[in-house]
């Protein structure tokens, strides 16, 4: 039986998913990654729970709901494209955001709520990103050429984060992430 994982993420608007899909298409022909994510799977991870037992998951839903009661929508802007892993054979290709205190605060609320539900979470610093592809399969990856083709910094795509979703993974499927619960953020007046 395949293990499933759960995570909380900022849900992206369809327009942003379309923009990122278009960006992926611009660079796909020149850069061979083993897996390009389905556009419905684009998100910004806020807390990765892993293999979450039902009772803890339910508790996290309650605590996250409480934490987001007064949380407002956040304004974000895509800023760049980057990689995680070896510069010659990266394991992750991602789109990043301009720094946002609002996003950092939202992430902190989710993170604390999940810790209160007894989850042990990753302690690495938060680096908000949207994964586009995984596992580069050729030699001599060229980040500068990738950034040129993607041209994210010159296209100034802005969007609003309006919801947080608990997702469940279904590896091998496309899309791979199933929404379990969604929390809408308040409109700012």
């Amino acid at each position: 039986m395949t293990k499933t994982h759960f995570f909380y993420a900022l849900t992206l608007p369809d327009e942003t998913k379309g923009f990122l899909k278009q960006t992926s298409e611009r660079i796909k022909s020149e850069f061979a990654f083993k897996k390009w994510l389905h556009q419905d799977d684009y998100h910004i991870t806020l807390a990765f729970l892993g293999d979450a037992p039902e009772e803890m998951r339910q508790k996290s839903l309650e605590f996250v709901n409480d934490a987001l009661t007064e949380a407002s929508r956040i304004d974000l802007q895509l800023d760049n494209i980057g990689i995680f892993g070896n510069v010659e054979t990266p394991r992750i290709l991602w789109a990043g955001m301009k720094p946002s205190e609002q996003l950092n605060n939202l992430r902190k609320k989710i993170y604390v709520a999940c810790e209160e539900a007894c989850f042990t979470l990753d302690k690495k610093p938060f680096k908000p990103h949207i994964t586009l592809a995984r596992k580069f399969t050729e030699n001599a990856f060229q980040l500068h050429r990738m950034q040129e083709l993607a041209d994210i910094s010159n296209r100034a795509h802005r969007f609003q984060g309006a919801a947080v979703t608990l997702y469940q993974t279904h590896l091998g499927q496309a899309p791979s992430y199933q929404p379990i619960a969604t929390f809408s953020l308040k409109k700012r007046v």
Side-chain angles (χ1 to χ4, degrees):
M1 183 173 159
T2 306
K3 214 178 212 189
T4 187
H5 295 115
F6 296 86
F7 61 92
Y8 284 96
L10 183 70
T11 314
L12 301 180
D14 289 340
E15 179 183 303
T16 299
K17 290 178 181 182
F19 178 89
L20 292 169
K21 175 69 173 172
Q22 179 188 58
T23 300
S24 292
E25 292 300 325
R26 292 172 88 151
I27 55 183
K28 225 180 212 183
S29 62
E30 282 194 40
F31 292 89
F33 279 84
K34 186 174 182 179
K35 177 175 174 131
W36 289 87
L37 268 65
H38 189 284
Q39 77 181 50
D40 289 342
D41 286 341
Y42 296 152
H43 66 274
I44 300 171
T45 301
L46 301 172
F48 182 76
L49 306 181
D51 183 24
E54 176 71 23
E55 187 177 316
M56 286 173 67
R57 208 167 56 242
Q58 289 305 318
K59 203 182 269 192
S60 78
L61 286 167
E62 181 184 321
F63 291 150
V64 165
N65 184 52
D66 291 346
L68 296 180
T69 302
E70 295 301 315
S72 296
R73 295 177 179 194
I74 56 178
D75 296 318
L76 296 167
Q77 181 178 340
L78 292 176
D79 185 39
N80 58 8
I81 197 157
I83 58 169
F84 291 136
N86 184 303
V87 293
E88 305 245 334
T89 56
R91 57 184 175 77
I92 301 287
L93 171 68
W94 50 261
M97 261 69 49
K98 285 200 179 265
S100 167
E101 196 59 38
Q102 293 174 318
L103 180 57
N104 290 337
N105 291 338
L106 178 67
R107 193 277 184 148
K108 187 174 182 177
K109 287 179 184 188
I110 302 298
Y111 193 92
V112 168
C114 291
E115 285 186 323
E116 288 173 353
C118 298
F119 283 98
T120 303
L121 303 176
D122 191 351
K123 300 290 184 208
K124 284 186 247 164
F126 180 50
K127 180 162 175 90
H129 66 279
I130 303 159
T131 299
L132 302 176
R134 291 190 173 97
K135 296 181 184 169
F136 187 68
T137 58
E138 292 180 359
N139 294 326
F141 179 81
Q142 299 170 1
L143 181 59
H144 181 70
R145 175 66 182 143
M146 167 85 63
Q147 290 170 332
E148 237 175 49
L149 280 174
D151 196 31
I152 285 180
S153 56
N154 290 326
R155 294 190 290 151
H157 181 83
R158 290 176 171 79
F159 64 99
Q160 195 169 72
V164 171
T165 301
L166 174 64
Y167 288 99
Q168 179 178 5
T169 62
H170 296 286
L171 299 178
Q173 295 181 17
S176 298
Y177 307 135
Q178 174 191 359
I180 301 300
T182 299
F183 303 90
S184 294
L185 302 176
K186 292 169 61 174
K187 288 183 180 175
R188 280 187 267 148
V189 209

